[in-house]
Amino acid sequence: MTFRIGIISDTHGLLRPEAERGLTGVNHIIHAGDIGRPEIVEALRRIAPVTAIRGTWTAASGPANIPTRNSCAWREKSIYVLHDLKTLQPDLGAGIDVIVSGHSHVRRSTRSVALST
């Protein structure tokens, strides 16, 4: 069974239709911060369960109940979510397989991890 995770970030209050289409069919969505309006998370939850964090822009206006960092897991893989990779603590500890961040507005992957069975 394949488990698909959709990753999105820096929506700044706007969820574009092409982003919604791109997330269709995923099993889980990770929003890596700067959400903007609570309605963004609600719209994403209509697609799949969501793990979200606040980010820097969201701190001023956005869902107050969203944490600044979060984590989730699939099978034996641990996924840590933060907004700005520069704020990653060097002593975060062992056991994290994937780090997801936003903030840069640049898509980048430094390592691929298979999450399927």
Side-chain angles (χ1 to χ4, degrees):
M1 175 180 135
T2 300
F3 188 86
R4 294 181 60 213
I5 297 174
I7 298 174
I8 190 168
S9 182
D10 297 273
T11 49
H12 297 281
L14 176 65
L15 185 58
R16 297 180 188 280
E18 57 269 28
E20 288 185 85
R21 284 191 301 274
L23 293 168
T24 300
V26 301
N27 301 95
H28 194 90
I29 297 171
I30 295 175
H31 194 304
D34 283 357
I35 298 162
R37 299 178 297 117
E39 294 82 10
I40 301 298
V41 176
E42 293 168 17
L44 293 173
R45 285 188 178 133
R46 287 192 290 274
I47 299 169
V50 175
T51 297
I53 60 164
R54 293 174 64 81
T56 52
W57 194 77
T58 307
S61 64
N65 62 336
I66 305 274
T68 57
R69 297 165 189 257
N70 209 338
S71 61
C72 57
W74 171 246
R75 305 272 170 150
E76 65 280 347
K77 303 295 183 190
S78 171
I79 303 168
Y80 183 76
V81 187
L82 75 161
H83 185 62
D84 186 351
L85 192 57
K86 293 177 185 174
T87 65
L88 180 66
Q89 301 297 319
D91 61 343
L92 189 59
I96 294 176
D97 298 296
V98 178
I99 297 171
V100 174
S101 68
H103 189 60
S104 69
H105 295 230
V106 176
R107 181 179 167 188
R108 183 179 75 163
S109 173
T110 57
R111 181 174 160 236
S112 178
V113 176
L115 296 177
S116 61
T117 57

